[in-house]
Amino acid sequence: DWKGAALDAAYFLGYQVAGVGILYALPESFSHWSEDAKTDVNFNSWWNNVNSPTTEDSDEWYINWALHPWWGATYHVRARQRGLDGWQAFGYSTFMSALWEYGAEAFFERPSVLDLIVTPVLGSLLGEFLFMPLREHIQSKQGALDWSDKFLLLFTDPLGGLNAEVDRVFGVKPTYQLMPVAMLRPTVPSLQVDQSDAGFNNR
């Protein structure tokens, strides 16, 4: 679902505004954005930053080695939930990481080479080999999910949860497309299913 993945990326661009607003309000000890950087925000500062990525990263260790891999994993999971395979999801995680580093954040600081590598690489490993099996295990359970299951699903795919809430607020109703796997007949037609359908009937 490349259109869905593109929509997720578009939503993410909007979320950057909120993310930057939060970081802007936090003290310099956390964001590492100086008062000069906060007051001198313009296209020239962004252009200078994106053209000079830095190998020096002053963020705390838990930001670089815990939060960034988690973010990368959630990007990877979002792509996998859209039907992309592992390598495509890795590329998507790389793209989303660059979208943040070269997007709104670049108005205040230079893109971090460390973050551009750690986020998608460690994140995709975490997403593919821990988050995805965990989600599949939860989703295969019979009956209603408890609060811990719902929390873990949201923790491993916060963008999906947030996007669904945005869709609900704006009245967007998603549709689903089931693609049957055909080993011998590759031309088997797909099965189109709308969310409003009461059951999964062949058409």
Side-chain angles (χ1 to χ4, degrees):
D1 183 9
W2 287 105
K3 289 183 178 180
L7 180 62
D8 291 333
Y11 279 168
F12 181 65
L13 279 174
Y15 302 152
Q16 285 193 23
V17 176
V20 166
I22 293 173
L23 289 173
Y24 189 94
L26 290 173
E28 183 179 346
S29 59
F30 182 88
S31 67
H32 298 286
W33 295 350
S34 66
E35 291 301 323
D36 290 339
K38 291 181 179 180
T39 56
D40 187 25
V41 179
N42 52 59
F43 178 79
N44 287 333
S45 61
W46 175 85
W47 183 252
N48 290 333
N49 286 337
V50 299
N51 280 283
S52 56
T54 179
T55 56
E56 299 177 359
D57 196 306
S58 57
D59 288 337
E60 300 292 341
W61 67 269
Y62 62 87
I63 295 178
N64 288 329
W65 300 104
L67 290 181
H68 276 283
W70 173 65
W71 288 328
T74 63
Y75 301 152
H76 186 93
V77 168
R78 183 87 297 265
R80 295 288 273 139
Q81 292 298 115
R82 288 296 190 181
L84 279 64
D85 64 30
W87 285 108
Q88 291 170 335
F90 169 72
Y92 188 78
S93 181
T94 302
F95 169 75
M96 294 288 274
S97 175
L99 200 62
W100 169 257
E101 292 290 328
Y102 287 91
E105 188 182 45
F107 279 96
F108 302 93
E109 63 180 66
R110 293 184 292 169
S112 167
V113 174
L114 177 65
D115 293 345
L116 289 167
I117 296 174
V118 168
T119 304
V121 173
L122 294 186
S124 290
L125 291 173
L126 182 64
E128 186 69 21
F129 298 108
L130 181 60
F131 284 12
M132 287 302 296
L134 176 61
R135 292 179 62 84
E136 291 169 2
H137 171 71
I138 294 173
Q139 292 167 340
S140 66
K141 290 184 176 181
Q142 299 295 323
L145 302 180
D146 59 29
W147 70 268
S148 61
D149 291 329
K150 294 177 181 179
F151 171 78
L152 288 173
L153 289 176
L154 183 61
F155 178 81
T156 54
D157 186 19
L159 281 179
L162 185 56
N163 292 354
E165 186 64 21
V166 171
D167 285 343
R168 186 191 66 80
V169 170
F170 288 99
V172 178
K173 294 183 178 180
T175 58
Y176 301 95
Q177 182 179 24
L178 300 183
M179 304 293 292
V181 177
M183 299 299 293
L184 300 177
R185 295 186 300 164
T187 58
V188 172
S190 63
L191 176 64
Q192 300 287 338
V193 180
D194 189 85
Q195 189 182 28
S196 62
D197 290 342
F200 296 93
N201 300 318
N202 292 325
R203 302 187 203 172

